Amino acid sequence: MSEHRRSSRGRKRSVDAPRRIAFDALRRINSQGAYANLVTTSATARMIPRDAGFVIELVHGTCRMQGTWDAIIEAAAGRGLGSMQPAVVDVLRLGAQQLFATQVATHAAVATSVDLAGTAIGERVTGLVNAVVRKMSTRDLDSWLAELAPGDDHTSLGLRYAHPTWVVDELARALGADGDLVALLSADNLAPVPMLVARPGLATVDELVAAGAEPATWSPWGAARPGNPREVPAIGEGRAGVQDEGSQLAILAATSADLPDGPWLDLCAGPGGKSALLRGLSPTFLLASEAQHQRAGLVTQNLANYPPGAHQVITCDGTAPAWGPRFALTVADVPCSGLGALRRRPESRWRRTPGTVAGLVPLQHALLRTAINSTLPGGVIAYIACSPHLDETIGVVEQAEQVEIIDAPALIAQVPGAAHHLDGRFIQLWPHLHGSDAMFCALLRRR
């Protein structure tokens, strides 16, 4: 399938379906705030695997490298992006992705970009697109970066590895002077193999392995499998899920602590992956609380295969709950910037700002206070964030009252280098060291 329109010279323009679908997806992401993974999943549902893979490569790669492509586009055009139509900018970004990050031949990247502009936007912009893509194609990526990012400062590293400068600053601060910042930035640009989780009592790792997965390095419930997770029967049936190994290890540490008798609470439960794991491990009862009604529905779906009676899902503002201190274990996987999951959310790095973090920190403090107040004396609170940003992690936990810090890395001693460099009692995982999201976990015991 392709789209046709005649050029100003009478030549019939033709755009293949994958490129047009990729362009439409990119417009939704950049103009409507859509999420790349959701858009591409929907857009490629009925495509043959080869074409679907090309769409995902174009969209995810363009979103991930957007800041770098934008700098090259501006240099090649000799003008700022703000002077161009947003749709034209997205055509140029797709052109850069094809030139610098795929096996598409240079002449094909130029020609298809011009044809895409002509059919999707109009003939009036084809001259500009032709000129800019041709100019970009005169040099390889290393040559462009040597000019635009010549140093080793954080601005140059950010441009070279497609991270906003402020994110590079914060990752360096969290990683510490002895950390390998370049290795971390590089790892953020590698799409991870989907990590599956066998839900205790419903599925086993052996079953996932039989479906083509490889056992996870450290999680007793995890298995990695390339391709579409829906191809695995246990996933389609809801007996297993998709969950990063870092998330699984945080739950492993929390549930390995010395816990008193009593029910468990998942305070920020949506969309329900951790809830399903906790439900399979809980010896008594799990209450899963989620502030958003729609996300609470997803939690219910994730728990649907477990027998009723030993869990309940409720919609509740986690900062003002009605319950008192009654839980032996409270898990607070708080809303955060998501800077630890940049591998899986390619567009998110360009949507976050320092203000994003500043706006979330008060909520994180409030949720941790609720978690502490919800926990029995002697019970354990697991404060989890999919972010290494110090303001969202240690900065929140160090202000907690009425708690003692548990040595969390000791509970996953099989995982090397899991201790935070600023305080070895906290877990901080890293993509370049552990192949997981940059997950933070603090375990606190209520006095």
Side-chain angles (χ1 to χ4, degrees), residues 64 161 163 171 180-193 339-345 349 430-438:
R64 185 176 293 112
Y161 295 100
H163 286 66
L171 292 178
D180 192 338
L181 179 59
V182 169
L184 171 58
L185 297 175
S186 299
D188 272 349
N189 291 333
L190 300 176
V193 175
L339 295 183
L342 298 183
R343 307 174 308 151
R344 294 188 290 110
R345 300 169 186 167
R349 66 189 71 183
W430 296 103
H432 64 299
L433 296 179
H434 305 104
S436 70
D437 290 347

Side-chain angles (χ1 to χ4, degrees), residues 81-269:
L81 297 185
S83 67
M84 305 179 205
Q85 188 176 343
V88 171
V89 173
D90 281 341
V91 170
L92 294 175
R93 288 166 172 162
L94 287 170
Q97 176 69 18
Q98 293 177 78
L99 285 171
F100 303 126
T102 72
Q103 300 298 315
V104 174
T106 298
H107 68 87
V110 175
T112 56
S113 297
V114 175
D115 285 343
L116 176 60
T119 57
I121 304 171
E123 283 298 315
R124 68 190 183 282
V125 303
T126 56
L128 171 62
V129 170
N130 181 60
V132 175
V133 179
R134 284 187 182 278
K135 181 65 178 293
M136 288 194 293
S137 72
T138 60
R139 305 167 68 176
D140 61 20
L141 180 58
D142 288 340
S143 297
W144 279 113
L145 293 178
E147 175 187 336
L148 300 174
D152 290 325
D153 58 283
H154 288 180
T155 299
S156 293
L157 289 176
L159 185 56
R160 199 173 303 144
Y161 295 100
H163 286 66
T165 302
W166 77 271
V167 173
V168 180
D169 291 342
E170 294 301 337
L171 292 178
R173 189 163 69 105
L175 193 59
D178 294 332
D180 192 338
L181 179 59
V182 169
L184 171 58
L185 297 175
S186 299
D188 272 349
N189 291 333
L190 300 176
V193 175
M195 179 63 69
L196 314 182
V197 58
R199 291 171 173 166
L202 301 178
T204 65
V205 170
D206 288 343
E207 181 181 357
L208 300 181
V209 169
E214 292 288 335
T217 306
W218 297 293
S219 169
W221 314 293
R225 182 186 184 277
N228 185 353
R230 286 284 173 182
E231 297 171 350
V232 178
I235 296 289
E237 296 164 6
R239 296 182 296 105
V242 179
Q243 186 178 43
D244 181 73
E245 188 172 12
S247 295
Q248 297 181 41
L249 290 174
I251 295 301
L252 176 61
T255 56
S256 298
D258 183 17
L259 300 172
D261 295 334
W264 293 0
L265 169 64
D266 189 359
L267 182 60
C268 308

Side-chain angles (χ1 to χ4, degrees), residues 64-83:
R64 185 176 293 112
M65 299 298 296
Q66 180 172 299
T68 302
W69 299 161
D70 286 355
I72 295 175
I73 290 167
E74 289 189 332
R79 55 197 280 195
L81 297 185
S83 67

